[in-house]
Amino acid sequence: MRVSEIAEHLKAAWVGDGALEISGAAPLESARGHEIAFVGNRKAAAMAAASNAGCLLVADEFPEGRTTIRVADPRAAFARVIGLLYPRRPVKPGIHPSTVIADRAQIAPTAAVGPFTTIGEDARIGERSSIGANCSIGAGVHIGDDCLLHANVTIYGHVTIGDRAVLHSGCVLGADGFGFVRAGDHYEKFPQIGRVEIGNDVEIGANSCVDRAALGVTSIGDGTKLDNMVHIGHNCSIGRHVVIAAQTGLSGGVVVEDDAVIGGQVGIGDKARIESGAVLGSGCGVLTSKIVRKGQVVWGTPARPLKQYLKQLANLARLEKGSEPRP
């Protein structure tokens, strides 16, 4: 693909050799003459002069002198270019003969189903969706159009998944929530009879788990991305375009509003609320019923505003040295 064609796709201006053929994408430091890279920060800009990349995605203020495409956000543009250069393999419709399909299941004629998969009663699989090997799709599951399920995904009954979802290997949707009631000297299981609803353009990482609601719905909004090994407890409500990094766990009834960012290894207690645009730093702990306010950045355990957290760390360091903490 020529530089000029890439720029046209990005609706951006190019400078230099617009006819140069680009066949790959690579990091700035290792890119070769037929590859494209991006300059995302000042450190990368300082390295750019030594890069052998054929074309660079750069911000408007980057100096001229080589073949570049000028965009507002080079990293985001680079992601789009990778999609152009390495397109997803088209779905080859068909159902492997080893697949076990319930009588009332509905599979779109343009969908693909891999070997040793089971599909339950009244399940529906949408157009151009691809189901990998050894998946288990329960009764009443609805999977939208253009979805991709990698191998060994398990979806319990009565889970709804929107369009263009990506589910990685080992993830489990609709398992029972952790609901038990103390009855005298033992625990009795609280029946988990709710469901799970997943929006459009959601991606769920390997070995992540989204529990069904005890009553009602566990929901994940459009565009939300879960990393590997994330646990979403029963009756959680996750908004749109939320990002949650690996090894994070949400207890039951947690609400995460739109555009929140949650770092890795974060623990969130029952019925906490994370308001829109809040940022939770890696490893922090949010106590039960705590509210993290809109746009707030918090860190530590218990989670507190970043400025306060850093001040407390500084005071601890002074105590270790024997000096008095600042008020």
Side-chain angles (χ1 to χ4, degrees), residues 40-189:
N41 52 40
R42 291 181 182 177
K43 182 179 179 181
M47 297 169 53
S51 175
N52 293 319
C55 179
L56 295 176
L57 291 165
V58 300
D60 288 337
E61 62 271 16
F62 190 84
E64 296 186 3
R66 60 184 302 164
T67 299
T68 59
I69 298 174
R70 296 177 179 271
V71 293
D73 186 341
R75 179 183 289 272
F78 190 62
R80 293 175 61 191
V81 171
I82 290 174
L84 284 176
L85 297 174
Y86 305 91
R88 175 177 161 182
R89 185 176 299 176
V91 174
K92 185 177 180 180
I95 300 172
H96 194 276
S98 64
T99 300
V100 178
I101 305 171
D103 291 339
R104 296 197 302 273
Q106 301 176 41
I107 302 174
T110 56
V113 182
F116 304 108
T117 285
T118 61
I119 300 174
E121 293 286 355
D122 299 310
R124 292 206 313 253
I125 297 174
E127 301 287 348
R128 300 171 301 281
S129 285
S130 178
I131 312 300
N134 203 38
C135 289
S136 176
I137 298 172
V141 169
H142 293 174
I143 297 174
D145 298 339
D146 300 298
C147 293
L148 173 60
L149 276 64
H150 291 276
N152 299 303
V153 169
T154 299
I155 306 176
Y156 285 57
H158 306 289
V159 171
T160 300
I161 300 170
D163 299 334
R164 299 175 299 280
V166 178
L167 307 181
H168 289 274
S169 291
C171 77
V172 178
L173 307 185
D176 282 358
F178 193 62
F180 296 90
V181 177
R182 185 76 177 181
D185 60 351
H186 66 283
Y187 286 97
E188 292 188 4
K189 186 176 181 67

Side-chain angles (χ1 to χ4, degrees), residues 259-284:
D259 300 305
V261 176
I262 300 177
Q265 295 186 325
V266 170
I268 303 179
D270 293 3
K271 297 180 175 59
R273 176 179 291 272
I274 312 303
E275 294 187 343
S276 61
V279 177
L280 276 60
S282 296
C284 75

